[in-house]
Amino acid sequence: MKRSLRPLAATAVIFIIAYALSVMQFPGMLSTRVLGNFLTDNAFLGIAAVGMTFVIISGGIDLSVGAVIGFTGVLVAVLISWLGFHPLAAFAIALGVAAIFGAAMGAAIHYLQVPSFIVTLAGMFLARGGASVITQDSVPINHDFYSAISDLIIRLPGGGRLSFIGLLMVAIFLLGALLAHRTRFGSYVYALGGNPVSASLMGVPVARTTVQIYTLSSVLAALAGIVFSLYTSAGYPLAAVGVELDAISAVVIGGTLLTGGYGFVLGTFVGVMLLGLVQTYIIFDGTLSSWWTKIVIGILLFLFIVLQRIIFAASASGEESPEKA
Amino acid sequence: MKRLHLERLANPQLLALVAVLLINWALFPNFFRISWQDGRLFGSAIDVINRGAPVAILAIGMTGVIATKGVDLSVGAIMAVCGAVAATMVVAGYPTPIAVVAALLVGLTCGLWNGFLVAVLDIQPIVATLVLMVAGRGIAQLITEGSIVTFNDPALIFIGTGSFLGFPMAAVIALVLMILVTLLVRRTAIGLFIQAIGVNRSAASLAGIHSRMLLMLVYALSGFCAAIAGIVVAADIRGADANNSGLWLELDAILAVVIGGTSLLGGKFSIPLAVVGALIIQAMNTGILVSGFRPEFNLIVKAGMIILILMLQSPLVGNAAGFFKRDTRRAAPK
């Protein structure tokens, strides 16, 4: 097996073992109903995590994701419920706003040469503040289009339901994987994360690629916001607080190196599913409280970071270590 | 010597603080009115100092971390954990000093854990501290069992709302901490070593600096400061709120440090100016509140401020300023 696939394999194996252990304890967890809900309940997180994967592979980080989800939800809700826009028009506007927002952050990161961490932190304050300025309250969305979409489900044998948003997440993951591994943009992203100086010497258009990466991340975050508004039928300025942390955790657990240059979009999918599994297990158990979710995710995060260390320390013998000091 | 001091007083941070305070005064003429009630000072200006203290305390620890080219995302969560420890121990009947010392030790341990990940396991600081940022709030909820633990212990409440010579206790704690830590890093070689690590860790190690031990020390100090801030905040609201204590304060602390002129690329830092940065942030928060704007504008103002600082610190502006100032040190060839 290729060495570079080891972290992905490790994540997949750990997910399968964890799932098998859960199923042994609660046989009900194997049902198609639970599997379908896995996809639906984590759809917005998964979509945002795809964008985050690209950002992290390029060696950056995007803290504005949760705020963009919240902002998009509010914007879409206000456009539909207060101003009478058609949902599709509202979606287009929201995605457009997010694209401009992400492009601005990418441009700031490249041209001002500041860490992405600080630029996207400003973006987080801006988006969250913008959402709160538009409205402080939860804005309900009652539109035929919304009910039509929530009726779009594929019934599985065993009572399971594949929802539109669950399938949308799967589609985004597949598109993301193609984009990362089969396009020129994808190779540019990996090159940037590996070493920005050599990337630019090799002819990678660093400025354009940086702007595109953060635009992609913001657009996917906005799509996640739309999915979140479909999921809750409302827009709320404080929605999805802290989702950026969940997304980063999913990316790390999925085997992507936070130092950049290495990672898999599909690994992130396993990461999201693993986070979903933790949550579902805690619900099934019933005696464990919700705060265990955070603790377990923290432990998983730590284990995977150490695992990456060990794997790369092992594979670095004889070749150059891929990490920066 | 005298000229040096004058130059220091005219630094941009203090000028910015004065400007923000003057704007507040213009918007709200009673801003500087200070009254004496029940043995302590009251007024909007005093309120700025009092409310700014937790972020100032965090910023003191964060400055050292950022000076080593790191960042500590976990301070908000550590605040929640330490507040929870102090509150539950007091409620369980332990004497206040023991509860406070225990909370401080927990903060120190959290900091050492971060330091261990960064210094020994060589994990990127953002990632290493992310672990506690995610798990910490869960641990705090585990300690308080998900509820807000309220207490009535007068000694503990004094830490948050008491006063010393008329000044709010929180501000006095922040001031003492600032002086102690500043003396520690400026009167010993530690500050120089921290800068050396921030500029180039491998070079510093080759030059004989125990970079591991120093990194551990820096993160431990950050955890310790977070513990103090956590106790102050819990004492102020007379309860430990695992969900909201210190929420997003890590970001405010980083912002304060950056406003204070500490370079995110490591190597240049100032603890007193980071405290001034915390006061600037709080002065703007208070200004927005007293002038009748909606508090939601706070976030947008903060974002605007970050963007402004970024532009001022960026090499682009640095190069342009190079025409006016004869400081071409940062005008790197490209």
Side-chain angles (χ1 to χ4, degrees):
Chain A
M1 178 185 192
K2 264 168 77 181
R3 271 194 172 136
S4 61
L5 287 175
R6 275 189 198 166
L8 184 59
T11 311
V13 168
I14 286 172
F15 175 72
I16 291 167
I17 293 173
Y19 196 48
L21 288 176
S22 318
V23 168
M24 268 155 64
Q25 201 174 350
F26 306 111
M29 275 185 86
L30 196 58
S31 67
T32 53
R33 190 185 292 259
V34 171
L35 285 172
N37 287 351
F38 257 18
L39 295 181
T40 308
D41 296 341
N42 297 300
F44 74 99
L45 172 61
I47 292 171
V50 173
M52 185 69 85
T53 313
F54 280 91
V55 173
I56 291 181
I57 290 175
S58 79
I61 203 149
D62 188 350
L63 294 181
S64 69
V65 166
V68 171
I69 293 177
F71 179 79
T72 306
V74 168
L75 183 65
V76 166
V78 165
L79 285 175
I80 296 171
S81 296
W82 293 0
L83 302 175
F85 276 71
H86 189 271
L88 285 176
F91 295 167
I93 294 173
L95 291 174
V97 170
I100 296 168
F101 182 73
M105 288 198 300
I109 289 165
H110 178 75
Y111 291 109
L112 300 183
Q113 289 178 26
V114 259
S116 52
F117 166 70
I118 296 292
V119 173
T120 56
L121 176 64
M124 180 183 110
F125 282 142
L126 206 59
R128 200 57 88 180
S132 306
V133 167
I134 294 176
T135 175
Q136 284 284 75
D137 309 312
S138 176
V139 181
I141 306 173
N142 295 312
H143 197 280
D144 295 338
F145 186 79
Y146 266 62
S147 36
I149 283 192
S150 52
D151 287 340
L152 273 181
I153 44 171
I154 302 172
R155 291 189 186 281
L156 298 174
R161 292 137 59 99
L162 281 179
S163 63
F164 173 76
I165 57 174
L167 290 174
L168 182 66
M169 171 181 73
V170 174
I172 295 291
F173 265 104
L174 292 177
L175 285 177
L178 283 178
L179 191 61
H181 306 296
R182 288 282 175 271
T183 65
R184 177 166 296 187
F185 170 71
S187 358
Y188 286 166
V189 174
Y190 279 93
L192 262 188
N195 187 334
V197 178
S198 1
S200 85
L201 290 176
M202 274 159 49
V204 171
V206 178
R208 204 180 71 202
T209 311
T210 308
V211 170
Q212 283 170 344
I213 289 166
Y214 288 90
T215 309
L216 178 70
S217 176
S218 284
V219 167
L220 285 179
L223 188 62
I226 292 169
V227 163
F228 196 70
S229 81
L230 287 166
Y231 183 61
T232 57
S233 287
Y236 182 52
L238 292 179
V241 167
V243 162
E244 54 276 350
L245 296 182
D246 291 338
I248 295 169
S249 310
V251 172
V252 173
I253 291 171
T256 297
L257 272 191
L258 269 147
T259 40
Y262 175 90
F264 311 93
V265 174
L266 292 180
T268 303
F269 182 74
V270 184
V272 171
M273 289 296 108
L274 199 53
L275 297 190
L277 179 68
V278 173
Q279 238 144 25
T280 312
Y281 179 84
I282 282 166
I283 294 168
F284 263 74
D285 184 90
T287 59
L288 290 174
S289 308
S290 61
W291 52 78
W292 280 105
T293 319
K294 292 175 191 164
I295 299 178
V296 173
I297 293 175
I299 294 170
L300 279 176
L301 203 54
F302 170 67
L303 288 179
F304 276 89
I305 293 166
V306 173
L307 191 77
Q308 287 179 354
R309 277 276 138 195
I310 294 169
I311 289 173
F312 279 96
S315 62
S317 53
E319 53 183 290
E320 193 72 19
S321 162
E323 281 119 335
K324 298 166 214 159
Chain B
M1 220 33 209
K2 206 167 193 177
R3 200 168 136 235
L4 190 75
H5 278 281
L6 276 178
E7 268 177 19
R8 277 194 181 177
L9 277 178
N11 62 33
Q13 285 83 7
L14 278 176
L15 292 180
L17 179 61
V18 170
V20 172
L21 290 175
L22 287 179
I23 293 170
N24 284 351
W25 186 48
L27 289 171
F28 180 73
N30 287 339
F31 188 78
F32 285 113
R33 179 179 290 173
I34 291 170
S35 59
W36 181 272
Q37 272 170 19
D38 308 327
R40 59 177 296 182
L41 296 163
F42 276 92
S44 294
I46 297 293
D47 197 50
V48 168
I49 301 173
N50 192 17
R51 299 271 152 237
V55 172
I57 294 171
L58 289 181
I60 293 168
M62 188 71 79
T63 306
V65 172
I66 291 184
T68 62
K69 223 190 245 179
V71 74
D72 188 349
L73 293 181
S74 66
V75 288
I78 295 178
M79 278 176 71
V81 173
C82 296
V85 168
T88 39
M89 282 186 74
V90 163
V91 168
Y94 288 94
T96 316
I98 291 184
V100 169
V101 169
L104 292 177
L105 285 178
V106 168
L108 202 61
T109 315
C110 290
L112 283 173
W113 161 259
N114 285 334
F116 171 75
L117 294 186
V118 173
V120 180
L121 295 187
D122 261 338
I123 294 169
Q124 256 187 316
I126 290 187
V127 188
T129 53
L130 182 70
V131 174
L132 255 190
M133 185 189 191
V134 172
R137 243 162 242 292
I139 296 170
Q141 284 172 328
L142 187 67
I143 295 169
T144 62
E145 291 173 336
S147 60
I148 298 177
V149 177
T150 54
F151 52 84
N152 275 316
D153 182 77
L156 189 53
I157 290 170
F158 180 79
I159 295 177
T161 56
S163 59
F164 181 78
L165 297 179
F167 285 96
M169 200 59 204
V172 174
I173 293 172
L175 186 69
V176 170
L177 190 69
M178 180 187 92
I179 293 171
L180 287 179
V181 177
T182 309
L183 286 178
L184 177 74
V185 297
R186 291 293 177 219
R187 288 283 172 260
T188 68
I190 290 176
L192 189 67
F193 292 163
I194 288 174
Q195 281 177 314
I197 293 177
V199 173
N200 189 331
R201 189 179 157 193
S202 3
S205 298
L206 289 174
I209 293 173
H210 292 285
S211 65
R212 277 198 179 150
M213 219 179 70
L214 267 163
L215 279 174
M216 296 280 279
L217 176 83
V218 162
Y219 283 90
L221 177 69
S222 178
F224 186 74
C225 291
I228 297 176
I231 295 169
V232 166
V233 166
D236 188 28
I237 64 166
R238 302 179 181 205
D241 183 350
N243 274 321
N244 298 315
S245 167
L247 194 64
W248 306 126
L249 279 199
E250 54 276 42
L251 302 179
D252 278 9
I254 296 167
L255 181 56
V257 173
V258 176
I259 293 174
T262 297
S263 166
L264 278 164
L265 302 171
K268 183 176 150 238
F269 73 97
S270 163
I271 287 168
L273 287 183
V275 172
V276 173
L279 289 181
I280 294 175
I281 296 174
Q282 188 54 46
M284 289 197 317
N285 286 351
T286 307
I288 286 170
L289 285 178
V290 296
S291 57
F293 278 107
R294 284 157 64 196
E296 297 91 79
F297 282 97
N298 257 335
L299 288 173
I300 294 184
V301 170
K302 264 184 213 166
M305 217 163 70
I306 299 179
I307 294 164
L308 193 71
I309 297 161
L310 290 183
M311 310 242 300
L312 291 177
Q313 281 194 351
S314 78
L316 274 182
V317 180
N319 286 345
F323 286 110
F324 306 105
K325 271 197 282 183
R326 291 237 165 253
D327 177 22
T328 45
R329 194 171 57 93
R330 289 210 55 166
K334 206 184 168 191

